[in-house]
Amino acid sequence: MNQYEVITLNEFILESQSQFPQAEGDLSHLLHHVGTAAKIVNREVNKAGLVDILGEIGTCNVQGEDQKKLDIFANDHFINSLHSCGEVCAIASEENESFILFDDDMARNGKYVFLMDPLDGSSNIDVNVSIGTIFSIYKRKTKQGEKATMEDFLQPGTEQVAAGYILYGSSTMLVYTTGQGINGFTLDPSIGEFCLSHKKIKSPEDGIIYSINEGNYLKFPAGVKQYIKYCQEKDVDTQRPYSSRYIGSLVSDVHRNLLKGGIFMYPITESAPKGKLRLLYECNPIAFIIEQAGGKATDGHKRTMEIKPSSLHQRTPFYCGSTNMVNKVEEFIRVFG
Ligand SMILES: O=P(O)(O)OC[C@H]1O[C@](O)(COP(=O)(O)O)[C@@H](O)[C@@H]1O
Ligand SMILES: [Mg+2]
Ligand SMILES: [Mg+2]
């Protein structure tokens, strides 16, 4: 791609659609609306200190977490944008206990359900550290025209038709896949367009970065403790010791490791015996992206995308990134538990 070639997100979406003669354009229309909502959220994030959008709103979500004003702002704008496109019959969100059913005629005929973490990295919002939005899209199981049900949401990650994230960082990027590799688009504020900047991203098989909240070290399983030791030991051949990098926003930590090589880990801990991260709208979409880039994503034993979901907000341990590094931590978990 020469540096002067500008391919906008919408052009890229339509170009990708043209490779599927049977495609009717519903998914393209939906992805276009994801881009629109991302721009609206980006506008507020960029001036967060100047407008009344920092801090808590005074309510808790179903996970018992204090909801931030920006969590709710992002939640509302993604819901509005996706409702108005008419392709989505229902939405599940980290910020809503049950899924939101769109019951008007147009939306009830929508083919897709949408799952999201509207604002990821909430603990970093008020301190101007990069944050994100994560999304996952499935074809509904119920018939068009019927009311969507839980069955439409509790599908394994392997059934995703598209997934991605938006990173609100020094620049704002949208990275997504529909199963044909992953591409990254950077928002050019001067033209208000996401433009193709990272074509067919491939993640290195190996890396020298490990990302984990070591503050929980004493609560980690023995295998994870052993793997952290392994990362810190000196060994020239394998470029160890690795560097420890942890931003505390899943999207940001994953994005860095995706481009540079590395492993992100959020194991079970005593305080989070099932893990902290949510399977449906954090781990499955990230796993789809990582696998499409040639990496690996598991719960320490099993491929994340093969986990059969049983509830909307269920949590899972999560290990993802460069294949050889994820294989290594799995080896330690097998041996030491
Ligand atoms: O502070 P901890 O325990 O390390 O957790 C950080 C993790 O929690 C999260 O903030 C959870 O996501 P939300 O901010 O969307 O609730 C992840 O982005 C991040 O990886
Ligand atoms: Mg999150
Ligand atoms: Mg969140």
Side-chain angles (χ1 to χ4, degrees), residues 18 27 36 57 77 87 134 178 215 315 318 328 332:
S18 67
L27 185 60
T36 305
I57 201 156
H77 283 278
E87 311 297 352
I134 313 173
T178 55
R315 301 172 190 264
F318 194 46
K328 196 71 177 173
F332 277 92

Side-chain angles (χ1 to χ4, degrees), residues 6-293:
V6 175
I7 300 172
T8 67
L9 175 65
N10 294 331
E11 286 163 345
F12 185 88
I13 291 171
L14 294 175
E15 162 52 34
S16 316
Q17 182 195 320
S18 67
Q19 286 153 32
F20 300 89
Q22 77 288 358
E24 292 159 12
D26 309 16
L27 185 60
S28 300
H29 189 209
L30 200 174
L31 290 168
H32 166 70
H33 277 258
V34 171
T36 305
K39 291 178 196 173
I40 295 169
V41 173
N42 176 68
R43 182 196 68 206
E44 292 307 298
V45 169
N46 275 354
K47 59 181 180 187
L50 300 173
V51 288
D52 180 23
I53 200 101
L54 294 180
E56 266 113 37
I57 201 156
T59 49
C60 276
N61 63 19
V62 62
Q63 351 259 337
E65 295 160 346
D66 293 325
Q67 290 177 310
K68 302 270 185 167
K69 290 178 185 163
L70 208 49
D71 284 324
I72 302 305
F73 180 91
N75 201 41
D76 291 348
H77 283 278
F78 271 90
I79 291 170
N80 293 344
S81 182
L82 292 158
H83 187 186
S84 63
C85 81
E87 311 297 352
V88 173
C89 59
I91 288 188
S93 166
E94 176 193 3
E95 303 308 332
N96 299 83
E97 179 152 5
S98 47
F99 63 84
I100 302 143
L101 186 64
F102 296 146
D103 214 12
D104 53 286
D105 294 349
M106 183 169 78
R108 212 183 306 136
N109 277 307
K111 271 197 233 168
Y112 301 101
V113 290
F114 189 87
L115 301 91
M116 66 177 176
D117 176 355
L119 209 287
D120 177 62
S122 304
S123 63
N124 283 325
I125 293 173
D126 296 353
V127 290
N128 202 2
V129 171
S130 62
I131 49 182
T133 293
I134 313 173
F135 65 90
S136 171
I137 302 170
Y138 292 86
K139 268 222 170 98
R140 63 185 303 175
K141 289 274 185 197
T142 49
K143 283 205 195 67
Q144 286 176 263
E146 287 176 0
K147 283 190 176 169
T149 67
M150 196 54 96
E151 181 205 355
D152 294 311
F153 291 97
L154 300 183
Q155 303 187 49
T158 46
E159 297 300 306
Q160 292 174 97
V161 292
Y165 58 78
I166 297 111
L167 174 60
Y168 311 102
S170 40
S171 67
T172 293
M173 279 191 73
L174 190 157
V175 175
Y176 83 100
T177 185
T178 55
Q180 279 75 43
I182 67 168
N183 295 279
F185 301 79
T186 301
L187 182 61
D188 180 339
S190 65
I191 57 172
E193 290 282 359
F194 280 104
C195 302
L196 183 61
S197 54
H198 297 67
K199 206 170 179 174
K200 292 237 175 270
I201 301 171
K202 279 291 167 210
S203 186
E205 281 200 329
D206 257 307
I208 58 166
I209 292 172
Y210 70 101
S211 313
I212 189 166
N213 183 344
E214 293 190 62
N216 294 328
Y217 182 83
L218 296 177
K219 305 174 193 165
F220 288 152
V224 175
K225 287 180 180 168
Q226 291 296 329
Y227 179 70
I228 293 173
K229 286 229 163 331
Y230 169 86
C231 293
Q232 295 168 344
E233 277 155 8
K234 190 167 177 48
D235 178 87
V236 186
D237 299 343
T238 54
Q239 292 184 284
R240 283 178 294 136
Y242 298 151
S243 292
S244 171
R245 292 280 183 279
Y246 192 72
I247 295 169
S249 297
L250 173 64
V251 168
S252 316
D253 282 310
V254 161
H255 185 73
R256 178 205 46 245
N257 295 354
L258 183 70
L259 300 183
K260 290 192 151 188
I263 183 170
F264 173 88
M265 302 173 273
Y266 208 109
I268 58 171
T269 64
E270 272 151 29
S271 46
K274 294 209 169 87
K276 174 180 182 177
L277 302 175
R278 284 54 60 119
L279 174 64
L280 290 181
Y281 44 78
E282 288 177 316
C283 302
N284 269 337
I286 297 288
F288 193 14
I289 291 273
I290 296 273
E291 287 196 8
Q292 285 289 312

Side-chain angles (χ1 to χ4, degrees), residues 318-331:
F318 194 46
Y319 304 83
C320 70
S322 297
T323 302
N324 296 341
M325 298 179 88
V326 177
N327 287 341
K328 196 71 177 173
V329 72
E330 285 188 314
E331 203 184 301

